[in-house]
Amino acid sequence: MPQVQAYVYDITGGMAKMISMSLVGKQIDVVPHTGIVVFGKEYFFGSGPCIGVPGQSVPAQVAQVLDLGETSKTPDELEAYINSVLALEHTSENYSLMTHNCNHYAMDVAKFLLNGKGIPEWIVNIAQDALSTPQGAGLRTMIEQADTMMRSQSGGAPGGMNPYGNVGTGAGAGLNPFGHVGSAAPAAAPALAPVAKPAGVADTFSEGLEDAFDEMKSASVEEKRACLSTLLKVTQNLEKNPDDPKFRRIKADNPAFSKKVIDCAGGTEALLAAGWAPDTHEGEDVWAMCEANADQQKFFRENFERELAKLPPPPAPTPAPAPFAAPAPAPDFGGMGGMGGMGGGGMGGMNPQMMQQMMNNPGMSAQAQQMMQNPQMMQQ
């Protein structure tokens, strides 16, 4: 009997694994998009039910392949069920990131094929578990921004997290008999457009940036200043040198950058909103900026400047302490050895400790000076 598998993609491209702990306080290795692979095809949800080439249906890497079991159903039975039932229950209009997404569609396909057995619950529950908390708002922003970028690159229709609506349409329409579902009329896939050019993309990024700035309100003024100043400097360098690859990468283990940006509330969200994404370069983890996003940095520079201008002036530097003044040296009484008449035995034999005590006593020192100036006192 035909084998049924679930292909699980990470729509964040590894981003969730890197920063989920800092954002939501729990480790999330993938934020999944799932397709069901059977009969040599992949059944998945785009702007409606779609069919594609296994492992190539969406612009992301397969993170996991799960063996679900074997089916007694035929391709015709499955596709008739999709066309008559699932196509009506799963549309772009009723899509919800939290409760009715591509993973719920994959669950329904698997249950039909396997007589009630679906995909693992963690896949369909991950959005609800991780993103419904206040801490999850940052990760939700990240996912929505990943969605925007993937839709721009794949030509998917806007509206909800449905970045794969173009798959199998146009010349390959035979691979996607359900491509019309959720749209007013069949349409060919739109031409790809650079992410930086359409005004709508800037609007979406603007919303993510405003969410990041709201998150920054929980940081101290100086933490916020350090974060925004660092982001502004990075953005200015990129704006001036958009074609220089060295300004489009930041080492993920850079301690100064991590302390000022990643560790600041809202810092990671602002970085993501500005178009940066986790990547690897020559075996190192980096934050990378694609060439298309590098061209729209003026928008982000102006926003970082605006937020910095809202902050109060930095505190005045603490003045340096005055240098320590050494005490004036004690008077030199080395010439008093000849005062033989004083005290009967003379001062020549006075031990050094007693001499030091006398010199440190202002009264005795003044009396000694008077005696030196008045020989008659020395004779008494």
Side-chain angles (χ1 to χ4, degrees), residues 53-114:
V53 177
Q56 301 178 26
S57 297
V58 298
Q61 294 294 318
V62 177
Q64 299 179 40
V65 176
L66 307 177
D67 292 327
L68 302 180
E70 297 179 338
T71 183
S72 61
K73 301 292 194 298
T74 67
D76 288 343
E77 289 174 329
L78 173 59
E79 293 175 13
Y81 178 74
I82 291 174
N83 198 27
S84 62
V85 178
L86 297 187
L88 304 178
E89 296 178 354
H90 295 270
T91 68
S92 59
E93 288 78 14
N94 67 12
Y95 183 93
S96 166
L97 173 64
M98 303 293 283
T99 61
H100 198 67
N101 57 43
C102 59
N103 300 308
H104 294 85
Y105 176 79
M107 173 71 87
D108 288 345
V109 173
K111 283 184 175 181
F112 174 79
L113 290 169
L114 301 172

Side-chain angles (χ1 to χ4, degrees), residues 96-97 139 145 161 168 175 190 200 206 220 254 294 334:
S96 166
L97 173 64
L139 188 59
Q145 289 162 4
M161 195 169 186
L175 194 61
S206 178
S220 70
N254 183 318

Side-chain angles (χ1 to χ4, degrees), residues 282-293:
E282 297 180 351
E284 286 188 307
D285 290 332
V286 298
W287 288 95
M289 172 71 68
C290 71
E291 187 172 354
N293 287 343

